[in-house]
Amino acid sequence: MATIADVARVAKVSVSTASRALRDSPQISEATRRRVKEAARELDYVVNTSARRLASGRTDAVGLLVPYVTGWFFGQAITGAEQVLRAAGCDVLLYNLVDVAGRRSFFERMPLRNVVGGALIFSLALSQEEIRQFTRYRIALTTLGEATAQVSSVMIDDRAAATTAVRHLLNLGHRRIGLISGELDHPMGFKSSRLRHQGYRDALAQAGIAADPALVVEADYTVQGGCLAVARLMSLAEPPTAIFVMSDEMAIGAMHTARSMGIRVPEDLSVVGFDDYKMSELFGLTTIRQPVLAEGRSGAELLLSALGQGTDTPVHKVLPTELVVRATTMRLEPRPWSAP
């Protein structure tokens, strides 16, 4: 396979001149550009984005660092980011960490070095050492879904959004409100579940209601997780009349299992989800809508801005969420009295 050095040799120019000519740099004369491009065609040379560092000190490739590629949220956020990056002519490289061991291995090997000019980090709170790794290789950073003071970020206000969800249930007369939560102390360090849990507690406290630990069940962010969690909640001696669920996928699982237990939604149990997942409208699910595609796009735009301006001044954007009221919540009706 021909290299940029081969092209330079055939065109009788330096490697840096060949690189600039192939990028149509105005610093190179038209005659030299033609000669270099003709040499590249003869050698069947394909431009390697990493080689662009030879002349510019950076590359047009961008890395997307994701904890998991599965799951609706990450799929949507990646799609939004790619739309912007590809429109800007960037090559996009996706890195799937999978777990804590994968994260540790990534930062030990740092495969992004000398390959990308910037990286968009999804839902990971970066440690100071991890930030130093990117800085060491002059890789511009933007985070999506997690805020770090010295790194530009795009996120929503998870705590306020959760408060809105629970306040909706309180306004409908519910006082015994359950929570199906993500893992609060996740080994990957995700903060959103803890922030939403705090928002749940904020709403109860504002209503003068003491939080009951028995009404909080942790689960993974899957339909199956919601199925298992609601079975525990509705088996309590005094089950909740409403639940706030931290993702729509869990909420859909929760409704399925509740109905299989003979529990009507919303007559016996009101349910509020989070995300406005693609199937939520079909299930009539009341939920908190977060603009996931817009989060991905905004993160990519911030990263491109940092790459273009070469600035180290971080920018933090908080995108709005919205309560979408559908058919899974209703005003609490007094339960019929029955003789002991």
Side-chain angles (χ1 to χ4, degrees):
M1 181 180 293
T3 68
I4 187 68
D6 296 325
V7 174
R9 177 176 48 77
V10 171
K12 295 183 173 56
V13 297
S14 69
V15 170
S16 61
T17 296
S19 178
R20 290 190 181 96
L22 291 173
R23 291 184 294 109
D24 290 320
S25 170
Q27 298 173 325
I28 306 300
S29 70
E30 179 62 30
T32 301
R33 285 205 298 271
R34 283 200 303 269
R35 191 164 75 252
V36 170
K37 290 183 178 181
E38 179 59 33
R41 280 193 293 271
E42 289 176 7
L43 296 170
D44 198 22
Y45 171 72
V46 177
V47 175
N48 183 333
T49 56
S50 296
R52 293 173 185 166
R53 281 190 176 272
L54 291 170
S56 66
R58 58 168 291 247
T59 172
D60 290 329
V62 169
L64 306 184
L65 192 60
V66 186
Y68 318 109
V69 294
T70 56
W72 174 81
F73 173 86
F74 291 113
Q76 289 289 99
I78 289 168
T79 297
E82 280 195 317
Q83 288 172 350
V84 171
L85 295 170
R86 293 195 186 281
C90 293
D91 294 322
V92 178
L93 307 177
L94 180 64
Y95 292 85
N96 181 25
L97 298 183
V98 180
D99 54 22
V100 173
R103 180 175 184 167
R104 185 184 307 113
S105 174
F106 176 89
F107 283 99
E108 287 173 353
R109 296 181 298 109
M110 201 58 184
L112 290 177
R113 67 181 186 275
N114 302 323
V115 175
V116 304
L120 183 59
I121 315 298
F122 291 70
S123 298
L124 294 173
L126 296 175
S127 69
Q128 292 303 308
E129 178 55 35
E130 289 170 341
I131 292 172
R132 279 193 291 271
Q133 283 276 62
F134 285 111
T135 303
R136 177 184 176 188
Y137 295 107
R138 293 180 295 174
I139 297 172
L141 285 180
T142 296
T143 60
L144 191 154
E146 295 283 355
T148 303
Q150 65 266 50
V151 177
S152 291
S153 65
V154 175
M155 60 189 305
I156 61 170
D157 189 333
D158 285 283
R159 184 171 178 174
T163 299
T164 297
V166 178
R167 190 176 290 140
H168 170 65
L169 295 171
L170 290 165
N171 289 340
L172 292 174
H174 296 277
R175 292 297 178 267
R176 192 159 175 79
I177 300 171
L179 173 65
I180 297 180
S181 167
E183 192 173 348
L184 296 180
D185 293 309
H186 197 284
M188 291 287 272
F190 303 139
K191 295 179 181 176
S192 59
S193 293
R194 187 160 290 281
L195 289 169
R196 293 175 195 179
H197 181 261
Q198 188 58 58
Y200 162 81
R201 294 176 65 91
D202 290 345
L204 294 181
Q206 291 162 11
I209 299 171
D212 182 351
L215 291 178
V216 178
V217 178
E218 295 182 31
D220 58 22
Y221 279 87
T222 64
V223 171
Q224 182 64 18
C227 292
L228 297 173
V230 81
R232 284 181 56 186
L233 285 172
M234 302 313 293
S235 297
L236 293 171
E238 188 181 353
T241 62
I243 52 173
F244 166 50
V245 191
M246 287 193 187
S247 84
D248 287 357
E249 289 180 82
M250 288 197 293
I252 288 169
M255 290 190 295
H256 172 77
T257 294
R259 286 165 174 155
S260 72
M261 296 170 71
I263 298 164
R264 299 171 299 168
V265 177
E267 292 84 356
D268 303 319
L269 179 69
S270 285
V271 178
V272 178
F274 200 109
D275 282 336
D276 204 23
Y277 169 67
K278 62 184 178 181
M279 300 293 287
S280 299
E281 186 173 6
L282 178 63
F283 283 89
L285 178 62
T286 295
T287 190
I288 295 291
R289 174 182 292 156
Q290 67 165 320
V292 186
L293 272 174
E295 289 175 65
R297 292 189 188 112
S298 293
E301 288 165 357
L302 279 184
L303 182 59
L304 288 174
S305 178
L307 287 168
Q309 298 173 12
T311 178
D312 293 327
T313 304
V315 176
H316 302 288
K317 294 182 66 174
V318 178
L319 300 187
T321 56
E322 175 189 1
L323 174 68
V324 181
V325 179
R326 295 192 179 109
T328 60
T329 53
M330 67 177 293
R331 182 163 295 280
L332 178 65
E333 299 295 338
R335 292 183 175 176
W337 179 86
S338 59

